[in-house]
Amino acid sequence: MRIMGIDPGLTRCGVGIVDVDGHRRSQFVSVHVVRTDSDAELPARLLQLDQELSALMDTYQPDFVAVERVFSQLNVRTAMGTAQASAVALLNATRLGIDTALYTPTEVKAAVTGYGRADKAQVTSMVTRILNLSSPPKPADAADALALALCHAMRGVGQQRVAEGLARQAQ
Amino acid sequence: MRIMGIDPGLTRCGVGIVDVDGHRRSQFVSVHVVRTDSDAELPARLLQLDQELSALMDTYQPDFVAVERVFSQLNVRTAMGTAQASAVALLNATRLGIDTALYTPTEVKAAVTGYGRADKAQVTSMVTRILNLSSPPKPADAADALALALCHAMRGVGQQRVAEGLARQAQ
């Protein structure tokens, strides 16, 4: 199964792609950061993000898209942009019939590092190890996007296997 | 010129269409409220809103789309949904090459009633009078969407005429 993790943002939107097998082993595929010009008008930025995410989904054909759930404790202006970027990401996936899930930063950190309050360095370090990368993914948005994909690989696929196992037992 | 005003929201998204002539006389065309089920998943709601706004733009072929600028003083959960709905509205217009503008609630109220702190009843009353409607548009989201279109008719078209006048004087 191919999972695309998206760390939404208007200025920088991280997109990480991993493949995961039935034993929850994850393999790195690719990572991208879509940037839009913070001096440009909002509609133009949304359109650029829309087009670039659409192109990435077309290129990598993910089976699943995991997006970071937007929170409010951030700077309000940033939170609005993040909410709008997440809408663009979810809309693109849903238009293509790709299933999506939203994960909170705490869920992502817990899945990847075992600790919900891990810092960025710990997340980057674990992403690098889990995916056997020769160097840490940069910038932080890239590592976060891969962590989102890994979070779904660990949680989502795990839950799916449990559900399948229960279904088999019930037969 | 045909103007579509959009009062963004995930639960209720008001869409008001007016035609305005060179003398800034506005004529009512249509008003709609797109609703999505608050129990549905976010991606499905975004997709439904996307499809319905796309269909309305296709039907009415607006020359201009005016969208309410999202603010933070609202309930945070509502503000996130509003931000995401506004992204869907702006993206649809921009994809079709339609120019857009964002107006704050204060700008809309001031344009329509002459008073930036007017209440909903005053806005609805003025929208009803300006457009010569036989009864007030309902619900409030419908009146707000028409007020947004009228705001652009009064401000945007006015500014454009001033710019054209200055251009003529300069020749």
Side-chain angles (χ1 to χ4, degrees), chain A residues 42-43 46 84, chain B residues 3-9 13-16 49 53 57 64-71 81-94 98-105 107-108 144-145 147-152:
Chain A
L42 176 61
L46 293 169
Q84 298 186 315
Chain B
I3 305 169
M4 178 179 278
I6 301 183
D7 182 28
C13 181
V15 181
L49 182 61
L53 290 181
M57 288 184 198
F64 203 95
V65 170
V67 181
E68 187 169 301
R69 191 181 287 278
V70 179
F71 270 113
T82 309
Q84 297 185 317
S86 85
V88 174
L90 291 169
L91 204 47
N92 264 289
T94 307
I98 304 170
D99 279 338
T100 59
L102 294 159
Y103 293 108
T104 66
E107 287 172 323
V108 174
D144 286 346
L148 269 156
L150 288 175
C151 172
H152 183 72

Side-chain angles (χ1 to χ4, degrees), chain A residues 27-41:
Chain A
Q27 196 177 348
F28 173 80
V29 177
S30 188
V31 70
H32 300 262
V33 177
V34 177
R35 295 165 200 271
T36 76
D37 181 358
S38 57
D39 291 333
E41 297 281 344

Side-chain angles (χ1 to χ4, degrees), chain A residues 42-44 46-48 50 70-72 76 79-80 82-88 90-92 94-95 100 102, chain B residues 42-44 46-48 50 70-72 76 79-80 82-88 90-92 94-95 100 102:
Chain A
L42 176 61
L46 293 169
L47 185 66
Q48 185 195 338
D50 185 58
V70 178
F71 271 113
S72 46
V76 166
M80 293 292 136
T82 308
Q84 298 186 315
S86 84
V88 174
L90 291 169
L91 204 49
N92 265 289
T94 308
R95 259 195 232 123
T100 58
L102 293 160
Chain B
L42 175 61
L46 292 170
L47 185 64
Q48 185 194 336
D50 184 57
V70 179
F71 270 113
S72 46
V76 166
M80 294 290 135
T82 309
Q84 297 185 317
S86 85
V88 174
L90 291 169
L91 204 47
N92 264 289
T94 307
R95 260 193 231 121
T100 59
L102 294 159

Side-chain angles (χ1 to χ4, degrees), chain B residues 40-156:
Chain B
E41 297 281 343
L42 175 61
R45 300 179 76 184
L46 292 170
L47 185 64
Q48 185 194 336
L49 182 61
D50 184 57
Q51 289 171 339
E52 298 203 25
L53 290 181
S54 171
L56 287 169
M57 288 184 198
D58 193 47
T59 302
Y60 293 103
Q61 303 276 329
D63 300 301
F64 203 95
V65 170
V67 181
E68 187 169 301
R69 191 181 287 278
V70 179
F71 270 113
S72 46
Q73 63 263 41
L74 303 161
N75 167 308
V76 166
R77 202 186 144 83
T78 311
M80 294 290 135
T82 309
Q84 297 185 317
S86 85
V88 174
L90 291 169
L91 204 47
N92 264 289
T94 307
R95 260 193 231 121
L96 295 169
I98 304 170
D99 279 338
T100 59
L102 294 159
Y103 293 108
T104 66
T106 304
E107 287 172 323
V108 174
K109 289 173 186 173
V112 175
T113 71
Y115 175 52
R117 297 176 67 183
D119 63 20
K120 281 199 175 287
Q122 286 172 286
V123 171
T124 299
S125 163
M126 281 305 295
V127 165
T128 309
R129 274 165 65 181
I130 294 168
L131 292 174
N132 267 317
L133 304 175
S134 55
S135 64
K138 284 179 186 169
D141 311 78
D144 286 346
L146 288 169
L148 269 156
L150 288 175
C151 172
H152 183 72
M154 291 162 164
R155 292 175 49 113

Side-chain angles (χ1 to χ4, degrees), chain A residues 97-108:
Chain A
I98 305 170
D99 279 338
T100 58
L102 293 160
Y103 293 107
T104 65
T106 304
E107 288 172 323
V108 174

Side-chain angles (χ1 to χ4, degrees), chain A residues 9-32:
Chain A
L10 273 183
T11 303
R12 287 187 309 278
C13 181
V15 181
I17 302 113
V18 302
D19 282 345
V20 55
D21 67 18
H23 303 283
R24 289 207 267 172
R25 279 183 302 234
S26 297
Q27 196 177 348
F28 173 80
V29 177
S30 188
V31 70
H32 300 262

